[in-house]
Amino acid sequence: ERPALTAIAPSASLDRAARRVLAANWRRGATVPAGGLYPHQWSWDSAFIALGLRHFSPVRAQRELESLFGAQWADGRVPHIVFDPLVPADAYFPGPAFWRSGDRSGTPGVPTSGIVQPPAHALAAWETYRAAPAVARSRRFLERLYPRLVAWHDWLLTGRDLRGRGLVSVVHPWESGMDNSPAWDVPLSRVAPLPPTELARRDLAHAAATERPTDADYGRYIRLARDYRDSRYEGTPGFAVEDPLCNGLLAAGEYALASIATEIGQDPNRHLVRAQQVTDALMTELWDTGAGTFFAYDVLGDAVLRSYSIAGLLPLVVPDLPVATDLVKTALGDRFRLADACPLPSYDLTAEDHEPGRYWRGPGWINTSWLFWHGLRLHGETGLADDLRDRLLARVRACGFREYVDPLTGAGHGTNDFSWTAALTLDLIR
Ligand code: 9WN
C-alpha cells in the first residue's frame, strides 16, 4: 500500500490535505475511491466526492457526476463501477472481462459492471448546483443531468420493485454499498460460495484480510454476480432485499429532483408524489416502532431482517420522515452511541458479532456518518449535528483519510487516502 499523504493532519492544513487526496485520485474526468484498492470510478462514491469537490472546484464536481451518467445504460441503470480502460485488466477483481457489459448496456464503448449502488446522486446533483448556481447554469448542468436522473429513478422503481410494494430491492450485497453487513448474513447463507480457486482477489494486496470480507463472502458475491450476468442482468440471482438506506436515499432523491425540476422550469409534482409514496412504503413495510429503527426485508425469504445496521437509521435523510425523533433516540442508545462513538458504527455495538475493524461489520465510515449528520440538520437537531461534525473532524485529523475507523478507539482501517473521507471532510469543514 502506498504511504498516506496525510498520516496526521494539523488542523490548519486539513482542508489542504483533503484537496491533495482528491487531486491525487482524479483521473481524466472522475475520481477513483483509492488508487490501489479501487482504481476505477464507483457510483455512490462519485456522489459523495461531488459533495466535497463542489466547495473548491464546482466544475470538477459537475464533471464527476456527468462522467458517471455518461456510462448510464440504455435501460436507465447507473452501473456501480465505470472501468478506466487505461488501468490494467487485472488491477481489480472482478474486472470488465467478467461483467461483459458491452453485450447489454447500449454503450458498448464504456466498460462497466452491471449492478448498481444506492441512489445518492440526485441529492448530490442538487447540492452541487446550489454551491455554484452561476457556473452550473452556464454549463447547463441541471438541464443535461435531470433527464438522466429521472431515467435512473424510473428504472429503479419499475425494474427493481420486486414485491410490488413501492420499494426498491437490491439483488447483490455490493448494490447496498455495505457489502458484508451482518444484515445480509441470513439471505446470503442460502447462496453456495464458489471455491477460492475461482476467485482472483486483488483487494488483499491493498488491505489486511482481517479488515475485508472473507473468501466465503467473495465466493457468494462472485456466484451472484455471475448468475445475474448470465441472466443478461434481468433476473433475480438468488439474493433480493429491500434496504432502508437505498429506499431512504431514493425518497430524498425524489425531493431533490422536485427542486431540480422547479429550478429548470419543469413540473415538480410527480417527484413530490413519488417522494411521499416511497416514504409511506418505508413506513408501512420497513419501520419497526418497538425497535425504533427500519429493518431490511428479505424478499426471497419473505422475512424481516432484524439486524441493527446503521442503514436502518439513515432514512433520516428524508425531509418529511415522521419518525425522525425515534431514529435520533435509537442513535443515542447503546447500539450506536451517537454521543461518543465516532464515526457512527456501521453495526450494533452491543451485538456479539460486532467486529470493530472489519469493513461493514462494525467500523465507522464517514459517508454514513455524513448522511446521519445531514439528516440531523434537516430535522432541526443542530446541537447534535454540530457535535457530531466536530468529533468527525477530530477523528480525521487524528488518523488521516482512512476508509473506516474503529468507532470507539479511533484506530484507522482499510485503505489510506480514501476519496469520500477527504471529500466529506471538506464538506464538514464548511
Ligand atoms: C465493491 C468503493 C466501494 C464502495 C463500497 C465498498 C467497497 C467494493 C469492493 O468499495 O465495495 O463495490 O471492492 O469491496 O463496500 O461501498 O462504494 O469505495
Side-chain angles (χ1 to χ4, degrees):
E1 188 59 46
R2 296 169 314 147
L5 288 177
T6 48
I8 296 188
S11 59
S13 66
L14 191 61
D15 180 287
R16 205 165 357 122
R19 292 182 195 208
R20 277 174 61 200
V21 168
L22 292 178
N25 290 346
W26 175 256
R27 306 274 187 281
R28 310 176 314 282
T31 308
V32 299
L37 188 57
Y38 309 118
H40 304 283
Q41 180 177 28
W42 258 259
S43 167
W44 80 328
D45 295 65
S46 282
F48 295 120
I49 290 163
L51 288 169
L53 286 176
R54 70 186 168 136
H55 295 297
F56 70 96
S57 181
V59 172
R60 233 166 88 196
Q62 292 165 31
R63 286 179 65 197
E64 184 79 39
L65 292 168
E66 289 162 2
S67 61
L68 178 69
F69 279 82
Q72 185 171 29
W73 285 25
D75 63 11
R77 86 183 75 192
V78 176
H80 101 297
I81 302 176
V82 184
F83 290 104
D84 180 345
L86 299 189
V87 168
D90 63 355
Y92 180 82
F93 173 77
F98 174 91
W99 296 99
R100 296 183 215 144
S101 64
D103 300 348
R104 184 62 186 74
S105 63
T107 48
V110 188
T112 71
S113 70
I115 58 171
V116 299
Q117 270 190 327
H121 315 90
L123 183 66
W126 174 240
E127 296 295 338
T128 295
Y129 168 78
R130 291 207 313 152
V135 183
R137 273 189 220 114
S138 72
R139 301 183 68 253
R140 297 186 59 74
F141 170 65
L142 288 183
E143 287 82 353
R144 289 184 292 116
L145 208 57
Y146 173 73
R148 290 182 173 261
L149 288 164
V150 173
W152 164 221
H153 287 197
D154 283 350
W155 177 80
L156 283 169
L157 281 163
T158 51
R160 284 300 184 78
D161 181 3
L162 301 183
R163 275 205 300 159
R165 305 276 176 104
L167 292 175
V168 163
S169 286
V170 296
V171 302
H172 194 292
W174 284 336
E175 291 199 328
S176 71
M178 298 179 54
D179 314 348
N180 67 346
S181 164
W184 312 145
D185 288 356
V186 168
L188 274 181
S189 68
R190 298 191 294 264
V191 179
L194 293 178
T197 46
E198 292 195 39
L199 312 173
R201 291 184 68 171
R202 297 290 302 140
D203 56 319
L204 299 180
H206 304 283
T210 51
E211 301 178 356
R212 294 284 306 173
T214 62
D215 272 354
D217 294 329
Y218 257 80
R220 294 184 166 103
Y221 300 160
I222 299 305
R223 179 184 293 277
L224 288 169
R226 185 197 66 186
D227 291 354
Y228 191 42
R229 176 198 69 199
D230 292 346
S231 76
R232 295 186 50 76
Y233 297 110
E234 270 160 14
T236 305
F239 178 93
V241 297
E242 290 169 352
D243 168 44
L245 171 55
C246 287
N247 285 287
L249 282 171
L250 185 63
E254 284 293 328
Y255 280 110
L257 283 185
S259 303
I260 293 173
T262 305
E263 198 65 23
I264 62 174
Q266 304 228 16
D267 182 6
N269 273 322
R270 64 183 279 217
H271 300 302
L272 294 172
V273 170
R274 265 189 176 180
Q276 195 56 57
Q277 284 168 343
V278 177
T279 308
D280 291 347
L282 267 166
M283 290 304 304
T284 313
E285 304 296 331
L286 306 187
W287 174 248
D288 187 306
T289 306
T293 189
F294 293 88
F295 287 126
Y297 192 84
D298 178 4
V299 174
L300 300 182
D302 199 11
V304 175
L305 296 166
R306 297 187 60 84
S307 171
Y308 289 84
S309 154
I310 186 73
L313 305 185
L314 293 179
L316 195 68
V317 298
V318 180
D320 279 343
L321 194 77
V323 291
T325 313
D326 309 63
L327 290 178
V328 173
K329 195 166 155 230
T330 304
L332 284 165
D334 289 348
R335 298 183 198 278
F336 294 98
R337 291 171 53 173
L338 169 61
D340 69 323
C342 182
L344 280 174
S346 49
Y347 176 57
D348 187 354
L349 286 163
T350 68
E352 270 181 15
D353 57 350
H354 176 99
E355 293 183 70
R358 194 188 285 276
Y359 219 40
W360 295 101
R361 301 185 73 87
W365 294 66
I366 289 282
N367 67 328
T368 44
S369 296
W370 184 92
L371 288 168
F372 197 79
W373 170 79
H374 176 74
L376 285 172
R377 298 208 318 166
L378 210 58
H379 294 282
E381 296 282 1
T382 320
L384 288 174
D386 289 353
D387 180 57
L388 176 59
R389 180 202 56 210
D390 292 349
R391 284 182 295 113
L392 285 168
L393 290 174
R395 272 289 197 250
V396 176
R397 259 178 216 123
C399 63
F401 303 105
R402 297 300 298 261
E403 190 179 5
Y404 36 99
V405 174
D406 182 319
L408 297 183
T409 68
H413 294 286
T415 187
N416 290 316
D417 299 334
F418 190 57
S419 291
W420 82 37
T421 304
L424 296 173
T425 295
L426 284 168
D427 191 65
L428 290 169
I429 286 173
R430 265 133 194 108

